[in-house]
């Protein structure tokens, strides 16, 4: 099975419960994390390190870059330059990065370096083909779309535009050849309904807010299935909410 998992934001207990709920099998299943592993939660670095460990030890696990991860990278790489007052550092703090930074600073030096290197290596998008279905998995929008839509001045600018981009339900992507016949699975933008939403332009939004963790499940045998797992651990005892994609 293939599972695309939305923004985690430091919710490690919820992630662990979700993997148990879907009966995650490391030797068989594919995991696609859409980024934003820290901030807003209570176990920010623990969540990031957990995903790091999954990704490093299993070639069926993929972890993408989110806007919070980029803000974190920009901040921690400036620490050695004594530039913590740079604009991106204050921006990260406004997005609850101050708690994550405190947790990061408690790590051993070698582990700090590992986190920095791992963040640097995160891709902005991933192409996934399952049976006759094709998807671009990303945090904001694939970088090649951001390059088409925005005035991009550098490679870093393209990455920033990609992870911060918020498409609308009315936006057409017919002019992007690489998206022909594909759906875009993305996080980043909290859905109005706090439920997974699929738009007519081929975008599937699975960021349901800091209090809800969503996973998109798809396989070669079944049509893709959207499944929601509320972040309250007690609610996992309830029935599973789901809806089928057209």
């Amino acid at each position: 099975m293939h599972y695309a998992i939305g923004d985690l934001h430091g919710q490690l207990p919820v992630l662990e419960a979700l993997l148990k709920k879907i009966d995650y099998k490391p030797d068989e299943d594919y995991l696609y994390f859409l980024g934003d592993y820290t901030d807003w939660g209570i176990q920010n670095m623990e969540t990031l390190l957990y995903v790091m460990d999954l990704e490093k030890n299993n070639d069926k696990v993929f972890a993408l870059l989110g806007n919070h991860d980029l803000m974190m990278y920009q901040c921690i790489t400036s620490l050695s330059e004594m530039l913590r007052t740079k604009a991106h550092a204050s921006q990260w703090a406004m997005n609850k990065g101050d708690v994550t930074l405190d947790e990061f600073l408690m790590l051993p030096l070698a582990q700090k370096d590992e986190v920095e290197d791992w963040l640097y290596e995160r891709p902005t998008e991933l192409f996934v083909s399952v049976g006759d279905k094709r998807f671009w998995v990303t945090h904001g929008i694939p970088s090649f779309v951001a390059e088409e839509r925005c005035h991009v001045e550098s490679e870093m600018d393209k990455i920033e535009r990609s992870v911060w981009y918020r498409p609308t339900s009315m936006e057409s992507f017919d002019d992007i050849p690489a998206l022909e016949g594909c759906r875009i699975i993305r996080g980043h933008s909290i859905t109005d309904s706090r439920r997974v939403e699929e738009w007519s332009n081929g975008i599937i939004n699975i960021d349901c807010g800091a209090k809800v963790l969503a996973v998109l499940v798809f396989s070669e045998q079944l049509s893709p299935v959207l499944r929601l797992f509320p972040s309250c651990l007690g609610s996992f005892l309830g029935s599973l909410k789901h809806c089928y994609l057209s």
Side-chain angles (χ1 to χ4, degrees), residues 206-238:
I206 69 171
D207 182 5
C208 302
K211 298 300 182 182
V212 178
L213 184 57
V215 58
L216 173 64
V217 187
F218 47 108
S219 72
E220 293 186 21
Q221 292 76 33
L222 302 173
S223 296
V225 180
L226 299 182
R227 294 184 178 176
L228 302 182
F229 296 86
S231 62
C232 174
L233 291 179
S235 64
F236 278 90
L237 301 176

Side-chain angles (χ1 to χ4, degrees), residues 38-39 65-93 95 101 104 115-117 119-120 154-164:
T38 64
D39 310 337
L65 182 75
N67 61 311
H68 283 257
D69 313 315
L70 178 60
M71 287 188 288
M72 180 180 180
Y73 177 77
Q74 290 172 322
C75 183
I76 65 177
T77 54
S78 71
L79 290 175
S80 60
E81 304 167 19
M82 302 302 290
L83 295 175
R84 288 180 60 179
T85 57
K86 289 182 69 173
H88 58 65
S90 60
Q91 181 188 39
W92 188 35
N95 284 276
L101 178 58
F104 173 79
V115 169
E116 181 179 329
D117 291 344
L119 289 173
Y120 178 79
S154 65
E155 190 65 24
M156 178 56 75
D157 189 30
K158 181 169 70 173
I159 292 172
E160 289 184 342
R161 301 279 188 172
S162 171
V163 298
W164 281 99

Side-chain angles (χ1 to χ4, degrees), residues 7-226:
D7 304 28
L8 298 177
H9 287 300
Q11 301 287 349
L12 179 57
V14 183
L15 173 60
E16 292 176 320
L18 182 150
L19 295 178
K20 182 177 180 180
K21 184 72 175 183
I22 63 177
D23 191 24
Y24 168 57
K25 300 178 178 61
D27 295 335
E28 301 176 14
D29 298 330
Y30 290 80
L31 298 182
Y32 309 98
F33 291 98
L34 273 57
D36 279 8
Y37 310 103
T38 64
D39 310 337
W40 300 101
I42 57 174
Q43 293 178 271
N44 299 290
M45 286 309 307
E46 289 178 74
T47 303
L48 185 144
L49 293 172
Y50 183 88
V51 175
M52 272 182 58
D53 184 66
L54 284 177
E55 189 271 339
K56 286 186 173 184
N57 293 289
N58 191 327
D59 59 6
K60 291 182 172 63
V61 176
F62 302 88
L64 303 181
L65 182 75
N67 61 311
H68 283 257
D69 313 315
L70 178 60
M71 287 188 288
M72 180 180 180
Y73 177 77
Q74 290 172 322
C75 183
I76 65 177
T77 54
S78 71
L79 290 175
S80 60
E81 304 167 19
M82 302 302 290
L83 295 175
R84 288 180 60 179
T85 57
K86 289 182 69 173
H88 58 65
S90 60
Q91 181 188 39
W92 188 35
M94 288 189 295
N95 284 276
K96 303 298 182 181
D98 50 344
V99 176
T100 304
L101 178 58
D102 289 341
E103 295 178 17
F104 173 79
L105 293 174
M106 296 294 292
L107 298 177
L109 179 59
Q111 200 166 30
K112 289 189 181 79
D113 290 340
E114 285 182 35
V115 169
E116 181 179 329
D117 291 344
W118 187 79
L119 289 173
Y120 178 79
E121 294 168 354
R122 294 309 91 215
T124 53
E125 66 266 343
L126 182 70
F127 178 76
V128 180
S129 178
V130 182
D132 62 350
K133 297 175 174 63
R134 299 187 298 163
F135 305 89
W136 282 101
V137 183
T138 189
H139 182 71
I141 204 74
S143 59
F144 56 84
V145 178
E147 194 169 22
E148 288 287 331
R149 291 287 191 268
C150 310
H151 177 64
V152 174
E153 298 180 348
S154 65
E155 190 65 24
M156 178 56 75
D157 189 30
K158 181 169 70 173
I159 292 172
E160 289 184 342
R161 301 279 188 172
S162 171
V163 298
W164 281 99
Y165 197 98
R166 298 185 191 274
T168 69
S169 59
M170 302 300 293
E171 189 170 352
S172 172
F173 299 98
D174 293 343
D175 59 326
I176 311 291
L179 292 181
E180 184 176 356
C182 299
R183 287 171 173 168
I184 297 174
I185 302 170
R186 65 181 298 276
H188 184 42
S189 303
I190 299 175
T191 60
D192 293 335
S193 64
R194 301 302 172 99
R195 294 291 183 267
V196 174
E197 295 179 355
E198 183 186 13
W199 293 341
S200 59
N201 58 0
I203 289 181
I204 303 171
N205 297 287
I206 69 171
D207 182 5
C208 302
K211 298 300 182 182
V212 178
L213 184 57
V215 58
L216 173 64
V217 187
F218 47 108
S219 72
E220 293 186 21
Q221 292 76 33
L222 302 173
S223 296
V225 180
L226 299 182

